Amino acid sequence: MKSKRRFYGKNIYYWQEDSNLAGCRKKETWGGGNSIYSIGLFLLVGSLLFLTSCRNTYIIPLPGILDPPEQRFTVTFEPALPSGVSEEDLTEMPESIEVKSGQTLDSSIAPKLAESTGYAFDGWITADGKAFTSDTKITSDITLYASWISVWDGSASDESFYDSGKSEYSISTAAELRGLADLVNGGNDFSGKTIILESDIDLGNHEWTPIGIGGKSFKGTFRGNSEEKIEIRNLKMTSPSQLNYATTYGAGLFGFIEEATISNLHICGTIDVSSPENGIYAGPVAGYVNNSDISNCESDMDIKTTGEFAYSGGIAGYINNAKISSCINRGTIEGYGYDQSQCGGIVALVYGTSAIDNCRNEGDVYAENTPEANGDQDGTGCMAGGIAGYQEMGSGENIISSCINTGNITSKENGHNNSDAGGIVGYVLNLYNENASITISECINEGDVLSFYNGGEFEHSLYGHYAYAAYGGGIAGTLLNYYANSAIEISECENYGSISGKSNATTEELQQSAIGGIIGIIQNIEGTAKIINNHNGGSLSSVSDAGYAVAVVIEASPVDVSGNTDGTAQGLKEIGFTQSM
């Protein structure tokens, strides 16, 4: 039975059972004659008191708990001025405020420094250095400290940090970074010296001249002071005036580096450079990299190059005998060449004995070649890859390992040459080295891959049946090996992207494309080649040969294609077509 009583102005709800319960003691009267036994249980849940006896259960809302008094907290602001800046430079500074419990901070509450200081407000932080954002709820009294970022005005250059007698330097302002560029471009290569970037800087979207131009390379160590990465914002390059110094242009924070080490950077901004008669190597960290290491770097930059040779990479444009590790790109990568276009989510071109390890690309990669723009219909090719656009194997062991691509990859050839696109690498070639090897292992592609031949008709028959116009693969578009004592191995890789080939030609052989879940085409003249223990889970679309592992195998020396698996229901063979030479 359910009934209702009044108690101290609040409602009391209770249930009374009809039968007596064994073990109950003395019966007492309370609250208008209702029976309550002396043996019972009190339980407080939130703002409700549960009172239970042997027979009755009362639910009592306690006075004052349902409507607690409103809590308010004090937020105190401290300017925490950067070194060399005084309180006289403060043009605005918020006073302490009181807020309700759970309230967030209005984003308009901010201090301001005179523009002449070169600093801008960069948000509030707590006493332990954590960012206090506009969606952080205030639940206690708190003191917030201003964070400041050095902003470049487009011209300031500060070389005062440099002392030729020292081997290590710390810089913390945009003007000092510009000073470093001026020192290197003036001939000081910083060989054997270390530069530490202590804090985030903002280059203000002013035109940037790279560190290292026209044959002047940086040869030292440059690193952010934290493994969490130091941020360089608003790097902008659109006017390659440095081409006056050389026929090859390196675009990036660094233009040319040699025997250098770069690490712990997060770079944001835009590179969009054009030069009809020059080769352009563009990458957020460095354009041209020789015998160097780049690690733990991150890019949110969109890269676009247009020129006779257009090479765009998500971390670096060109590397030779170098290593790139633990790097991430999220920007869109584009290259528009008049003779050749090669683009990669991490690196555009890979030469020498090089390694790319534990890297990730999340940006779309697009390479397009238009030779007729320079009056030459043939051109020398168009390649695009999620990690590397083009890899030429150097003598020794070359590696691409534990890399992931999630961006969409497109290669479009408008001249009389092939289009090559791969989820990890577009094109791999061993043309010069007898003892070269490349291993691509434990890599994953999740992006869609399109290889598009758009070059019209030309005499292509001298290459035989395998003269396809477009090559595409979930891991690599094309693998070519010409030398003995050399080896290619693709193993333990996975593809989940859709792979497709397309041609606008009417000639039958030019309509053909080679599309594979792992490899588009492999041509092995000498040496060994293995495509083993890989998995394809992506759909394949082709107007010609397709295989869930390899579309086309051309072999003078045997190619081992085995242990590969297919997770689709397309019913394709492991190898689409094989031809012996």
Side-chain angles (χ1 to χ4, degrees):
M1 180 182 71
K2 183 179 179 181
S3 59
K4 187 174 181 180
R5 297 285 182 182
R6 301 291 294 177
F7 178 71
Y8 291 113
K10 300 290 183 180
N11 292 325
I12 300 176
Y13 300 90
Y14 67 91
W15 288 262
Q16 184 173 9
E17 298 181 6
D18 293 334
S19 60
N20 290 325
L21 296 176
C24 289
R25 287 192 178 180
K26 181 182 175 183
K27 183 176 179 181
E28 298 180 355
T29 301
W30 177 58
N34 294 293
S35 297
I36 299 179
Y37 290 86
S38 58
I39 295 179
L41 173 67
F42 290 88
L43 179 62
L44 181 64
V45 180
S47 61
L48 298 177
L49 176 65
F50 288 75
L51 188 154
T52 303
S53 69
C54 290
R55 180 171 296 181
N56 303 328
T57 299
Y58 296 83
I59 305 174
I60 308 172
L62 296 181
I65 294 183
L66 287 179
D67 302 305
E70 182 180 81
Q71 287 184 296
R72 300 184 70 85
F73 300 110
T74 300
V75 182
T76 304
F77 302 101
E78 292 291 342
L81 296 173
S83 177
V85 178
S86 67
E87 291 195 3
E88 281 108 14
D89 295 314
L90 275 170
T91 57
E92 295 180 23
M93 184 64 204
E95 298 180 353
S96 298
I97 59 173
E98 280 198 355
V99 299
K100 296 178 181 179
S101 177
Q103 184 176 328
T104 57
L105 192 64
D106 191 326
S107 59
S108 65
I109 298 176
K112 189 174 182 181
L113 283 170
E115 190 172 332
S116 59
T117 64
Y119 286 93
F121 177 65
D122 196 37
W124 296 106
I125 59 175
T126 59
D128 56 0
K130 295 181 179 178
F132 191 91
T133 62
S134 59
D135 58 356
T136 303
K137 293 183 178 180
I138 299 167
T139 58
S140 65
D141 293 337
I142 190 169
T143 298
L144 299 178
Y145 300 84
S147 175
W148 303 96
I149 188 168
S150 174
V151 182
W152 191 43
D153 63 5
S155 61
S157 178
D158 182 0
E159 301 177 10
S160 63
F161 68 89
Y162 179 69
D163 179 343
S164 60
K166 293 182 178 180
S167 61
E168 184 171 295
Y169 308 92
S170 292
I171 63 175
S172 58
T173 70
E176 288 176 323
L177 187 67
R178 176 71 268 157
L180 173 64
D182 290 340
L183 287 166
V184 174
N185 297 340
N188 186 342
D189 62 18
F190 280 79
S191 178
K193 297 182 183 294
T194 297
I195 310 294
I196 301 172
L197 183 60
E198 298 287 353
S199 56
D200 297 346
I201 60 173
D202 189 337
L203 295 178
N205 278 317
H206 299 291
E207 197 67 30
W208 177 253
T209 299
I211 304 169
I213 60 174
K216 307 288 179 61
S217 296
F218 176 78
K219 297 184 178 181
T221 294
F222 185 97
R223 61 179 173 85
N225 76 343
S226 169
E227 291 187 1
E228 297 298 318
K229 304 183 187 76
I230 297 299
E231 188 171 317
I232 298 174
R233 302 178 193 170
N234 295 315
L235 188 156
K236 176 185 175 183
M237 299 186 67
T238 60
S239 178
S241 59
Q242 298 82 346
L243 286 173
N244 295 329
Y245 297 95
T247 57
T248 299
Y249 180 45
L253 176 66
F254 292 84
F256 293 81
I257 65 172
E258 184 175 356
E259 298 174 353
T261 300
I262 313 293
S263 62
N264 301 349
L265 300 178
H266 180 192
I267 306 177
C268 309
T270 302
I271 294 177
D272 184 352
V273 290
S274 176
S275 178
E277 298 179 356
N278 294 275
I280 303 174
Y281 301 95
V285 177
Y288 194 97
V289 179
N290 191 31
N291 293 301
S292 299
D293 289 349
I294 298 175
S295 64
N296 196 36
C297 289
E298 187 173 340
S299 170
D300 281 285
M301 289 190 70
D302 293 334
I303 309 293
K304 178 181 176 182
T305 58
T306 305
E308 183 177 6
F309 300 97
Y311 306 126
S312 300
I315 296 296
Y318 168 99
I319 66 171
N320 178 56
N321 295 324
K323 182 177 181 179
I324 311 291
S325 60
S326 303
C327 291
I328 302 172
N329 170 62
R330 298 188 187 89
T332 299
I333 308 302
E334 299 176 82
Y336 299 86
Y338 305 142
D339 186 292
Q340 189 176 78
S341 177
Q342 297 171 350
C343 299
I346 299 298
V347 182
L349 282 82
V350 182
Y351 278 81
T353 303
S354 296
I356 304 175
D357 177 61
N358 191 35
C359 291
R360 180 181 181 92
N361 174 59
E362 299 176 4
D364 291 347
V365 178
Y366 182 88
E368 182 171 355
N369 204 36
T370 310
E372 67 267 22
N374 273 6
D376 178 7
Q377 187 62 32
D378 290 338
T380 55
C382 186
M383 300 102 176
I387 300 300
Y390 172 89
Q391 171 133 17
E392 188 165 302
M393 295 160 56
S395 180
E397 186 178 8
N398 302 270
I399 295 171
I400 300 178
S401 59
S402 303
C403 292
I404 298 174
N405 171 64
T406 62
N408 295 326
I409 311 302
T410 302
S411 174
K412 182 180 180 181
E413 173 58 59
N414 295 312
H416 292 165
N417 216 299
N418 296 323
S419 170
D420 302 273
I424 299 300
V425 59
Y427 191 104
V428 175
L429 172 66
N430 179 24
L431 190 58
Y432 304 108
N433 296 289
E434 289 191 12
N435 297 309
S437 70
I438 185 169
T439 300
I440 302 176
S441 63
E442 297 182 343
C443 292
I444 299 173
N445 174 59
E446 298 176 354
D448 294 340
V449 176
L450 170 63
S451 184
F452 182 17
Y453 174 76
N454 191 47
E457 314 303 321
F458 73 105
E459 181 57 45
H460 208 215
S461 59
L462 60 96
Y463 297 104
H465 175 81
Y466 54 92
Y468 301 89
Y471 304 98
I475 301 302
T478 297
L479 303 176
L480 298 181
N481 185 27
Y482 287 97
Y483 277 90
N485 301 320
S486 59
I488 292 176
E489 180 176 314
I490 315 296
S491 61
E492 306 294 337
C493 293
E494 302 171 44
N495 170 61
Y496 299 99
S498 297
I499 316 300
S500 57
K502 183 179 179 182
S503 173
N504 75 336
T506 57
T507 301
E508 181 178 354
E509 64 178 12
L510 290 175
Q511 289 181 340
Q512 298 178 107
S513 56
I515 302 301
I518 305 301
I519 307 297
I521 184 172
I522 178 168
Q523 182 174 336
N524 193 43
I525 307 303
E526 294 189 75
T528 62
K530 296 180 180 181
I531 315 298
I532 57 174
N533 303 326
N534 303 286
H535 177 75
N536 174 59
S539 62
L540 308 180
S541 174
S542 175
V543 295
S544 187
D545 291 310
Y548 71 77
V550 184
V552 177
V553 173
I554 310 297
E555 54 183 9
S557 182
V559 177
D560 179 3
V561 180
S562 62
N564 302 288
T565 57
D566 185 23
T568 74
Q570 290 187 269
L572 296 171
K573 297 183 294 182
E574 191 171 18
I575 302 173
F577 169 79
T578 301
Q579 178 172 315
S580 298
M581 298 180 66

